[in-house]
């Protein structure tokens, strides 16, 4: 793509906070800050590549290590052992910690000269984290890529209430957040009924949103490092929608 630019990427540790993977454009002023929400498996090399892709499109992209209070920079395998350890670490996450780490990442982006826009692009667990954060703090744009447990719960972080109660959805609407939701029609974590009810909940809250489903795609279809579930066609379309949504975020701030 002709509009992509060279990037700089590195790990850094925030004072009294998480390690963050930061990718920034080298030749352009960054348009906005985008927090990248990791999958269950931590900030893997694939999550780092997502940050670099977003930086190449002109954003400061920051992936916080949300697990840092239990295990610094855990990078888990895409296997049963990695999944088991991921759920163990997930069990220690708190809402307060998620919000604090998201705020810290956004502050880091502002210090790097990013524009005023505040976005969050999350994948699976990261989608849940983005929705959760946006019920507690102002975010302009949340891209929820197959984020589970937002409506019906099912993990300790979603107790005693999941993020998208009527009150949670109303909070997102009050913050002026726009949500883009992307899911596969064959997703084992998010049923078609849940996806439909999610849309109804957002509609009732008067929240700006767009929900897209890819009928043949599975959970995790965006991750090319997981060939058993990666769907190239769905991923290509989803990335176009993600970048378009983030461009709209910048126009709103402009």
């Amino acid at each position: 793509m002709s509009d992509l630019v060279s990037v700089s990427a590195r790990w850094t540790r925030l004072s009294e906070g998480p390690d963050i993977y930061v990718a920034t454009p080298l030749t352009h002023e960054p348009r906005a800050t985008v927090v990248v929400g990791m999958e269950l498996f931590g900030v893997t090399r694939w999550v780092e590549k997502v940050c670099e892709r977003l930086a190449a499109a002109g954003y400061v992209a920051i992936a916080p290590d949300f697990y840092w209070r239990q295990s610094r920079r855990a990078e888990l395998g895409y296997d049963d052992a990695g999944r088991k350890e991921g759920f163990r670490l997930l069990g220690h996450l708190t809402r307060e910690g998620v919000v604090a780490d998201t705020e810290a990442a956004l502050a880091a982006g502002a210090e790097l000269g990013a524009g005023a826009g505040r976005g969050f692009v999350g994948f699976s667990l990261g989608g849940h984290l983005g929705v959760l954060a946006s019920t507690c703090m102002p975010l302009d744009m949340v891209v929820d890529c197959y984020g589970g447990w937002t409506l019906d719960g099912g993990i300790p972080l979603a107790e005693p209430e999941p993020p998208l109660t009527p009150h949670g959805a109303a909070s997102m609407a009050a913050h002026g957040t726009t949500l883009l939701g992307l899911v596969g029609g064959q997703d084992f974590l998010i049923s078609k009924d849940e996806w439909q009810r999610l849309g109804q909940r957002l509609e009732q809250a008067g929240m700006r949103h767009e929900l897209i489903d890819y009928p043949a795609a599975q959970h995790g279809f965006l991750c090319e490092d997981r060939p058993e579930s990666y769907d190239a066609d769905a991923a290509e379309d989803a990335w176009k929608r993600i970048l378009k949504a983030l461009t709209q975020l910048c126009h709103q701030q402009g």
Side-chain angles (χ1 to χ4, degrees), residues 221-251:
F221 68 84
L222 274 157
C223 182
E224 62 268 24
D225 290 354
R226 302 172 68 183
E228 72 281 0
S229 56
Y230 177 60
D231 186 315
D233 291 338
E236 180 180 6
D237 183 78
W239 268 109
K240 289 178 181 177
R241 293 178 184 275
I242 291 168
L243 294 175
K244 180 181 178 181
L246 293 176
T247 299
Q248 292 171 344
L249 176 157
C250 294
H251 288 164

Side-chain angles (χ1 to χ4, degrees), residues 18 51 68 79 83 94 98 135 166 184 208:
C51 291
W68 70 277
D79 54 18
R83 188 170 288 104
T94 66
V98 169
T135 66
R208 295 190 301 270

Side-chain angles (χ1 to χ4, degrees), residues 90-237:
L90 167 58
H92 291 281
L93 294 184
T94 66
R95 296 185 182 213
E96 295 78 13
V98 169
V99 172
D101 293 348
T102 301
E103 284 281 19
L106 291 167
E111 290 178 4
L112 290 168
R118 294 156 56 100
F120 196 118
V121 178
F123 303 89
S124 193
L125 168 61
H128 180 98
L129 299 181
V131 171
L132 173 59
S134 66
T135 66
C136 302
M137 57 185 286
L139 290 171
D140 302 301
M141 172 69 63
V142 172
V143 181
D144 172 8
C145 302
Y146 37 84
W149 315 297
T150 58
L151 199 64
D152 298 329
I155 55 173
L157 190 59
E159 299 298 335
E161 292 182 331
L164 282 179
T165 62
H167 174 74
S171 295
M172 291 181 72
H175 290 149
T177 305
T178 299
L179 184 138
L180 170 63
L182 304 169
V183 75
Q186 307 303 313
D187 197 306
F188 69 86
L189 187 61
I190 304 161
S191 68
K192 294 180 181 178
D193 173 71
E194 182 178 357
W195 195 242
Q196 186 174 48
R197 288 186 290 115
L198 174 62
Q200 293 169 348
R201 178 64 49 82
L202 298 176
E203 191 74 33
Q204 291 164 358
M207 185 178 159
R208 295 190 301 270
H209 67 281
E210 182 178 17
L211 300 181
I212 305 297
D213 69 275
Y214 299 94
Q218 302 179 49
H219 188 81
F221 68 84
L222 274 157
C223 182
E224 62 268 24
D225 290 354
R226 302 172 68 183
E228 72 281 0
S229 56
Y230 177 60
D231 186 315
D233 291 338
E236 180 180 6
D237 183 78

Side-chain angles (χ1 to χ4, degrees), residues 60-95:
V60 172
I62 299 178
D65 170 20
F66 286 100
Y67 291 154
W68 70 277
R69 293 172 181 85
Q70 291 295 315
S71 177
R72 287 273 185 183
R73 287 174 57 174
E75 184 175 347
L76 309 176
Y78 299 123
D79 54 18
D80 289 343
R83 188 170 288 104
K84 181 179 179 180
E85 176 65 3
F87 275 111
R88 186 189 74 81
L89 294 169
L90 167 58
H92 291 281
L93 294 184
T94 66
R95 296 185 182 213

